Amino acid sequence: MKTTLRLLLLLLPAFASQAAETAPTASSAADAPGYTVEPTPAWVLPAVRGGATPDAPMYYRLVDDQLRVGKAQLERYVHVLRVVRDAAGLSTAAQIQIQFEPDFQHLVLHRIDILRNGQRYNRIDRKRIQLLQRETQLEQRMYDGRITASIVVDDVRVGDELEYDYSLRGDNPVFEGRLVDVDYAGSPYGPVMSLRYRVLAPAERSIAFRSAPGMSRSDKLQDGLRDTQFTQNDVPQLQLDGGAAMDQLLKHQIWTSEFADWREVAAWGRAQFAEPKASGTTLDALAQSFRRGNATPEAQLLAALRFVQQDIRYFGTEVGTGTHRPSAPEKVLAQRFGDCKDKVALLLALARRLDLDATPLLVSQSLHRHVSELPPSPLAFDHVIARVDLKGKSYYLDGTRNYQTGGLDSRQALSFERGLLLGADSQELLLLPVADRQTSITVSDRFRVQRFADGAQLESRIRYRGDGAEAVRAAMASNGSERVEQALNQSYVRVYPSLKSSAPLRIEESPGDNELTVVQQFVIPEFWSFPDQKLLRADFSYWMLADLLRLTSTQSRKDSYYLGAPASFEQRISVDFAEDAFAKPHTERFDDGDSHFALHIELNSSARHAEFLGQLRFLNDEVQPGEWNAYTSKLSKLWPQLGWSSNVSAIPLEQLPKLMTELQSAARDLDRGTPKLSTKLQREAYIETLVLGWKIKGGRLSPAQLAQALHARGVDYDNIGRYQDAAEDFKAALKLTPNAPEILESSAVNATALGELPRAVVFSSRAINASPGNLGALSTRAQALYLMRDYPAAQADLRDLLKDSAQQRRGYPLILLALAARNAGDDPQKAMQPYLDGELPKDWPRPLIDYLRGASDEDSVLRAAGQGEQGQAQLCEAYFYLGERYLAEGKTERARDYLRKSQSQGVMEYFEHIASGQELRRIGM
């Protein structure tokens, strides 16, 4: 089954595929057919080397691939010359891997040499050559029997050239002697200086080529042989851009085919699917049971398809002609397993016995419509389905899709775009029908808010159709519901980190139409945030649409970017409230897009309900390199539309008129000077205490948000001098969140204001322990210690503060350090000296620093303090620090005068106002 990459990434980001059958990834093939060592064949033509030396750890001086087409045998000759320029290239250069199919190919080694300093050293050592049967496709339930000759060359050094060549003799007999080949014009391991692809064939053989862009072609006839060569110099390392479609590999491939047209390919394919004449009894009985149990041809076909999909497990044995020729239907039925071609062969055999017109149809899961760009070749296809014509209608059915449900219409395989019908009159590729534009995935997120303080409940319903539904069933079967639930939860957790599952994941099947719905229940305790203690805010996201549009990189591209088959996606988000949340209805619409997608967004809200709709339609499957910059620019501009916030009042709407009345009354009181407040910040803090009071008693805040509101009101109370009220709020907040660093720090400031200095030290120390590096708490503790006259401890904290350059630029810790040193009997100049060459403030309080270091006088400080919009606050500071200087000198009266002036400024929100009051109480008013 081919599920779009986009759906797999969306549905199962954390899953790795698991196979029912397991086997060692590599086993020594001691009993496998061996190899021989022979000289280079005479028919080989040495390549003309050219190109510039690339800058890479390992590069190829030469990659030469030559094919000799004979009457009875195909021989491929490969000649490689690797150059090691850097130690990073040693590992890659020293390993040689040659893969072949022992059923029809024989490996011949010619030479493995190291060229070093003009000398050639033979490195063919039979002891170092291992034949391994790696079966790398077992996880995809596929056995191909290929052998890998694995050679690790000893003693490879930087500067060496490793030259090796070998031949593979034989070709898959399934192609009946006709040449078909696909080769890469480049290497994923390093750049190539000189590359050649050569085909030597009898002149009468008609061979079609499709070369990679940039290659030169030459043709030469000699002795009845046509010599066709494709060459290119300076080939970059083969690397596709991330997210590139598989068809981008065509730019790096050389296709060769001896099939004249698609009619010949169809005839060849028809012969592969011819049912053996010996088929009979068991198949007849099975078909008869379908006929008896189902009244209509449609029901009989559906029964046969269900049997092939579900009762015949998927496992392929692609050995020899089995790469393209199915096993006999009787054998498939008996062994109860098979790959796509085996399942189709069985379905065709059953359909014929039910008198239904059924035909195999070759398709490509990787190239889709791009098969039409290739020369006619069986290698253009990697999958086969069946077309059944019934009552004038064609059904395109895939026997490998064992997780399909529903009727024939919902089981159709409609993602291939082009295909080759193996009918008697097939001449060209068919233009295949594609799936309709019905929505592939619909996400319905329904939030219920019973109480704002309790967060929200979320019911997620994700409906998958077609490929998506099958992917969910496959994931449930192979990984279990718990892992599926974890994978699906990731997208929600990114948006709602506190989200918790409240019920087991539930699947609701809609068996009639190949759909299912994944239902999940969640609780989100922290659904609402409370930024700046203003409004309650909930964040929403069209997470599915964002996942579909998200880019891993926006860098310029050389390859097209694969979007997936055109499809539609929808996400609905609804929020129901138990009380009025919005004051008035609101509607918004947003439409955007380009030739690749169309995005439609709607928002509708009423008092107790909000509805959000996001619809995304992909209109094309690829973004071409030339369109990439415009596409990424478009996405970056619309990205904000995929996530948004909804704000709700923290106060019940019916209480807002009472609040407005109270605020109007408070404004009139302030105009009359009641209460007496000196600064704009104090007046704003007063009003905010009233608003926060309504929020605190409004009942919409969670415990954590209530603590935030109490903390904010406590800070406002401190700013207007209501220190005891502030203390009560901080106490209540700490009961709700005992170790919140910001509340502990504010409690320390409040304790300082109340003169409870030891408690201030305790609170600030707790804040530092809860949040190491909390400079605000460290500053508060230093101030409290200073006022306690514990000058050595205060100096220690201040020095720790001044390790931060931002604190040096603030200047205040340096001022207090100088005063603490003077009060301790130390030299203040010496205490300040380590910081004077640092980043001192350029403006205020620089005059105070200069004064304390003896570079200015008192009058200059006061003149500077009184200037500017902050003159009142700066004078409060200046008077306090001047008073402290006089106190340290024993000039109490002078100090008292300045401390009173500091108080008189009324800047209650400043430490200097608080501290001047403390000092006045100590020395006497």
Side-chain angles (χ1 to χ4, degrees):
M1 180 185 70
K2 173 73 165 81
T3 303
T4 64
L5 176 62
R6 183 171 60 213
L7 283 175
L8 287 175
L9 289 175
L10 178 64
L11 177 64
L12 304 172
F15 292 162
S17 61
Q18 296 182 351
E21 292 77 23
T22 59
T25 57
S27 59
S28 179
D31 56 343
Y35 61 91
T36 58
V37 179
E38 302 175 13
T40 300
W43 65 268
V44 167
L45 183 67
V48 177
R49 304 177 190 180
T53 301
D55 184 13
M58 192 280 291
Y59 65 89
Y60 295 83
R61 191 179 299 282
L62 174 68
V63 174
D64 187 19
D65 197 350
Q66 304 185 38
L67 278 69
R68 184 188 185 193
V69 182
K71 292 182 179 180
Q73 178 173 275
L74 174 68
E75 185 171 358
R76 178 186 293 272
Y77 169 80
V78 179
H79 182 194
V80 175
L81 184 55
R82 296 172 176 171
V83 182
V84 185
R85 289 193 62 185
D86 186 271
L90 283 171
S91 178
T92 301
Q95 297 184 45
I96 301 172
Q97 306 279 327
I98 304 170
Q99 195 173 79
F100 63 101
E101 303 198 37
D103 268 35
F104 53 82
Q105 287 182 317
H106 177 68
L107 171 62
V108 181
L109 293 177
H110 304 305
R111 61 183 161 180
I112 303 175
D113 290 347
I114 287 181
L115 284 68
R116 181 183 299 150
N117 298 326
Q119 299 294 314
R120 182 178 290 270
Y121 302 93
N122 183 0
R123 284 292 190 268
I124 288 187
D125 182 353
R126 291 181 181 271
K127 298 176 185 177
R128 304 291 296 173
I129 300 173
Q130 289 183 298
L131 299 182
L132 307 175
Q133 192 162 352
R134 293 188 179 274
E135 295 305 338
T136 56
Q137 299 190 76
L138 271 183
E139 285 193 350
Q140 287 73 47
R141 298 178 176 88
M142 190 71 65
Y143 172 82
D144 59 24
R146 293 178 181 174
I147 298 294
T148 298
S150 179
I151 308 163
V152 179
V153 182
D154 285 342
D155 190 27
V156 179
R157 308 174 189 177
V158 174
D160 285 354
E161 298 189 19
L162 177 66
E163 183 174 18
Y164 64 93
D165 58 348
Y166 63 90
S167 294
L168 294 175
R169 294 173 183 162
D171 193 21
N172 194 333
V174 77
F175 299 123
E176 301 167 352
R178 294 189 221 194
L179 174 64
V180 289
D181 187 53
V182 182
D183 201 1
Y184 279 92
S187 168
Y189 305 112
V192 180
M193 289 179 60
S194 184
L195 182 143
R196 179 175 68 169
Y197 179 81
R198 178 191 182 216
V199 176
L200 185 65
E204 65 272 14
R205 304 276 290 260
S206 179
I207 301 173
F209 297 94
R210 181 190 185 276
S211 65
M215 301 196 81
S216 300
R217 174 175 176 169
S218 66
D219 290 274
K220 182 180 178 182
L221 282 172
Q222 186 174 352
D223 300 329
L225 297 175
R226 176 177 288 106
D227 188 339
T228 302
Q229 298 186 36
F230 294 89
T231 58
Q232 186 176 1
N233 290 338
D234 303 320
V235 181
Q237 185 171 350
L238 200 165
Q239 291 178 322
L240 292 185
D241 294 331
M246 291 300 294
D247 64 85
Q248 295 302 292
L249 285 173
L250 296 179
K251 298 186 297 186
H252 307 281
Q253 291 176 335
I254 307 167
W255 285 72
T256 305
S257 177
E258 205 170 350
F259 285 83
D261 50 33
W262 291 114
R263 179 186 60 78
E264 283 194 7
V265 178
W268 166 86
R270 194 161 54 250
Q272 309 308 313
F273 280 88
E275 185 178 343
K277 293 181 180 179
S279 295
T281 55
T282 309
L283 285 171
D284 293 341
L286 181 60
Q288 191 59 33
S289 71
F290 295 149
R291 193 187 296 274
R292 285 195 306 269
N294 300 277
T296 65
E298 290 87 353
Q300 295 164 14
L301 174 59
L302 180 58
L305 176 62
R306 263 199 310 257
F307 177 84
V308 171
Q309 288 179 331
Q310 297 174 8
D311 287 43
I312 306 298
R313 64 189 174 93
Y314 186 90
F315 188 79
T317 51
E318 298 198 344
V319 178
T321 58
T323 56
H324 292 77
R325 185 176 299 158
S327 300
E330 285 276 5
K331 180 180 178 182
V332 176
L333 182 58
Q335 66 191 18
R336 292 294 175 117
F337 70 79
D339 59 13
C340 64
K341 58 187 180 297
D342 299 327
K343 282 173 166 266
V344 164
L346 177 57
L347 181 59
L348 295 174
L350 292 171
R352 294 188 190 105
R353 286 161 175 77
L354 294 169
D355 301 317
L356 300 174
D357 182 8
T359 310
L361 176 65
L362 300 180
V363 294
S364 175
Q365 298 183 107
S366 56
L367 296 178
H368 301 277
R369 67 180 180 277
H370 296 284
V371 296
S372 62
E373 302 170 17
L374 302 174
S377 169
L379 301 183
F381 309 102
D382 58 13
H383 193 49
V384 62
I385 62 175
R387 190 182 85 171
V388 182
D389 297 317
L390 180 60
K391 296 181 180 179
K393 184 174 181 178
S394 295
Y395 295 95
Y396 298 85
L397 307 175
D398 189 337
T400 67
R401 295 175 68 164
N402 57 313
Y403 290 105
Q404 279 188 328
T405 64
L408 292 174
D409 285 327
S410 64
R411 292 182 184 239
Q412 297 219 59
L414 302 177
S415 62
F416 301 110
E417 301 181 282
R418 300 289 189 279
L420 183 64
L421 191 67
L422 303 185
D425 56 351
S426 292
Q427 304 286 329
E428 297 291 342
L429 294 174
L430 286 183
L431 180 65
L432 302 179
V434 295
D436 57 37
R437 288 295 181 86
Q438 285 183 288
T439 303
S440 298
I441 303 178
T442 301
V443 176
S444 297
D445 292 336
R446 184 177 182 183
F447 296 87
R448 293 181 178 87
V449 179
Q450 296 295 327
R451 292 182 68 251
F452 285 92
D454 295 336
Q457 298 173 330
L458 166 62
E459 180 185 69
S460 162
R461 300 180 64 86
I462 308 178
R463 188 190 69 182
Y464 296 91
R465 296 181 67 248
D467 287 4
E470 295 168 47
V472 174
R473 295 185 192 109
M476 293 289 288
S478 60
N479 298 285
S481 61
E482 185 175 343
R483 290 191 64 197
V484 172
E485 185 173 9
Q486 291 172 356
L488 290 170
N489 286 357
Q490 290 178 10
S491 296
Y492 284 105
V493 172
R494 283 201 303 268
V495 185
Y496 312 106
S498 69
L499 175 140
K500 298 177 182 177
S501 178
S502 59
L505 177 145
R506 188 172 80 253
I507 302 291
E508 294 179 356
E509 283 281 1
S510 180
D513 47 19
N514 199 22
E515 294 184 7
L516 62 79
T517 301
V518 178
V519 183
Q520 294 177 277
Q521 305 281 346
F522 304 102
V523 292
I524 312 174
E526 299 174 19
F527 182 65
W528 300 100
S529 60
F530 192 33
D532 300 321
Q533 295 75 56
K534 301 296 182 184
L535 296 170
L536 292 174
R537 184 180 75 190
D539 295 324
F540 297 95
S541 170
Y542 292 117
W543 59 262
M544 179 185 69
L545 308 187
D547 283 347
L548 292 166
L549 290 170
R550 182 174 285 110
L551 303 173
T552 56
S553 172
T554 57
Q555 295 180 347
S556 60
R557 302 178 63 87
K558 64 182 186 303
D559 301 313
S560 65
Y561 180 76
Y562 184 58
L563 297 172
S568 298
F569 303 87
E570 180 176 291
Q571 183 165 1
R572 291 183 176 272
I573 300 172
S574 65
V575 190
D576 292 302
F577 300 92
E579 58 181 287
D580 289 353
F582 304 109
K584 56 184 179 180
H586 181 70
T587 298
E588 286 184 29
R589 291 173 61 94
F590 173 82
D591 290 279
D592 205 347
D594 60 10
S595 61
H596 305 97
F597 72 94
L599 178 66
H600 171 74
I601 288 176
E602 288 184 22
L603 161 64
N604 295 283
S605 66
S606 57
R608 298 192 177 191
H609 181 76
E611 188 84 26
F612 311 97
L613 171 65
Q615 294 173 325
L616 176 65
R617 289 187 300 120
F618 284 101
L619 310 175
N620 276 306
D621 60 355
E622 294 182 18
V623 181
Q624 298 301 321
E627 304 168 321
W628 182 247
N629 289 340
Y631 178 77
T632 56
S633 176
K634 172 67 70 176
L635 286 186
S636 66
K637 290 177 181 177
L638 66 80
W639 197 257
Q641 301 295 329
L642 300 177
W644 71 100
S645 298
S646 183
N647 294 313
V648 174
S649 171
I651 303 170
L653 297 187
E654 66 272 13
Q655 297 179 11
L656 290 178
K658 295 179 181 179
L659 170 61
M660 294 306 300
T661 300
E662 184 175 344
L663 293 179
Q664 290 168 359
S665 176
R668 290 192 294 270
D669 289 344
L670 285 174
D671 289 340
R672 292 193 293 266
T674 307
K676 184 179 180 181
L677 302 173
S678 301
T679 67
K680 179 182 178 183
L681 186 148
Q682 292 169 14
R683 288 187 287 272
E684 291 173 349
Y686 175 70
I687 295 296
E688 190 62 25
T689 60
L690 303 178
V691 176
L692 284 167
W694 284 88
K695 293 177 182 178
I696 288 167
K697 65 185 180 183
R700 289 189 169 184
L701 302 181
S702 69
Q705 292 163 351
L706 185 58
Q708 293 177 37
L710 287 165
H711 173 231
R713 189 173 67 175
V715 171
D716 287 328
Y717 277 148
D718 266 349
N719 287 336
I720 59 176
R722 292 172 59 175
Y723 303 128
Q724 195 58 53
D725 290 334
E728 293 299 321
D729 275 356
F730 294 142
K731 181 179 179 181
L734 285 173
K735 282 185 178 180
L736 295 169
T737 52
N739 295 309
E742 66 279 4
I743 302 177
L744 289 168
E745 181 184 340
S746 296
S747 298
V749 173
N750 173 257
T752 302
L754 289 170
E756 300 172 358
L757 299 176
R759 290 183 69 242
V761 172
V762 170
F763 278 128
S764 54
S765 296
R766 285 178 59 190
I768 293 168
N769 291 335
S771 176
N774 187 331
L775 297 183
L778 185 62
S779 177
T780 300
R781 188 172 71 181
Q783 292 166 348
L785 290 167
Y786 177 88
L787 293 175
M788 291 172 65
R789 309 183 78 178
D790 187 349
Y791 300 122
Q795 288 184 79
D797 277 356
L798 290 165
R799 290 192 185 96
D800 283 343
L801 266 179
L802 288 166
K803 292 176 183 178
D804 183 79
S805 58
Q807 295 297 318
Q808 294 181 31
R809 289 192 295 273
R810 280 185 64 234
Y812 296 102
L814 185 58
I815 293 170
L816 205 60
L817 176 66
L819 290 170
R822 183 180 291 275
N823 278 291
D826 300 327
D827 183 355
Q829 298 287 342
K830 186 177 180 180
M832 298 175 72
Q833 188 59 44
Y835 312 102
L836 296 180
D837 293 330
E839 299 181 58
L840 298 178
K842 295 180 180 179
D843 300 312
W844 186 262
R846 178 61 178 267
L848 276 168
I849 295 173
D850 292 341
Y851 169 72
L852 292 172
R853 62 190 287 206
S856 181
D857 57 30
E858 186 176 314
D859 291 338
S860 298
V861 170
L862 293 174
R863 278 196 303 272
Q867 295 176 359
E869 296 180 358
Q870 298 298 315
Q872 185 179 4
Q874 291 170 181
L875 282 171
C876 173
E877 294 172 344
Y879 287 134
F880 170 73
Y881 291 117
L882 289 171
E884 287 298 292
R885 168 76 178 269
Y886 283 121
L887 270 181
E889 294 175 351
K891 301 176 181 178
T892 306
E893 287 303 317
R894 186 74 169 156
R896 185 182 288 112
D897 180 50
Y898 276 128
L899 293 172
R900 286 172 176 168
K901 288 181 178 180
S902 177
Q903 281 275 291
S904 68
Q905 304 304 312
V907 189
M908 293 178 285
E909 60 269 32
Y910 272 45
F911 161 74
E912 290 78 9
H913 175 91
I914 294 169
S916 61
Q918 298 277 349
E919 294 287 54
L920 283 170
R921 283 190 288 275
R922 182 171 66 84
I923 65 175
M925 300 293 288

